[in-house]
Amino acid sequence: QVQLVESGGGLVQPGGSLRLSCAASGSISGIYVMGWYRQAPGKQRELVAVISSGGSTNYADSVKGRFTISRDNAKKTVYLQMNSLKPEDTAVYYCKVALPAVQYWGQGTQVTVSS
């Protein structure tokens, strides 16, 4: 069983920054993709950014140039550095780990961008 623990969410003013972390524990090894998704009220969950075991990344167009995803394989942790935050970035952010046959989700962390 794999568990994901997210941290780093909170309230920030427009233009501010936050760093999200997601640590995986349990039986996880080999090649797997780690990523961040978000869900705003009344909207579907959407991809924010993903990163492969080798470090290849993919971002949603709406966050390119503002967000940076990274990972520490030894710590089984993925990070999301969010800069120049906008009110439209307000959402619950979820971490996901995708193994070849199964995927796991974190419990979500709230990010609110407001003045």
Side-chain angles (χ1 to χ4, degrees), residues 3-110:
Q3 291 186 327
L4 304 178
V5 178
E6 299 147 337
S7 60
L11 173 64
V12 63
Q13 292 186 342
S17 298
L18 283 174
R19 188 190 194 212
L20 305 183
S21 298
C22 173
S25 62
S27 180
I28 180 172
S29 62
I31 299 174
Y32 54 96
V33 176
M34 304 184 84
W36 291 95
Y37 293 71
R38 66 186 181 187
Q39 187 167 18
K43 296 187 176 181
Q44 289 188 334
R45 192 172 299 188
E46 63 177 4
L47 179 146
V48 177
V50 292
I51 184 168
S52 70
S53 296
S56 297
T57 59
N58 188 36
Y59 294 91
D61 287 343
S62 59
V63 306
K64 284 181 180 177
R66 300 188 297 123
F67 291 10
T68 302
I69 190 170
S70 61
R71 64 189 283 171
D72 184 329
N73 290 330
K75 295 182 178 179
K76 302 177 185 177
T77 300
V78 61
Y79 306 96
L80 186 67
Q81 178 65 44
M82 305 185 292
N83 299 328
S84 302
L85 282 161
K86 304 176 181 179
E88 51 264 44
D89 294 318
T90 295
V92 177
Y93 283 68
Y94 297 91
C95 170
K96 187 178 91 168
V97 169
L99 282 73
V102 66
Q103 59 187 27
Y104 299 95
W105 289 92
Q107 80 285 356
T109 184
Q110 177 70 45

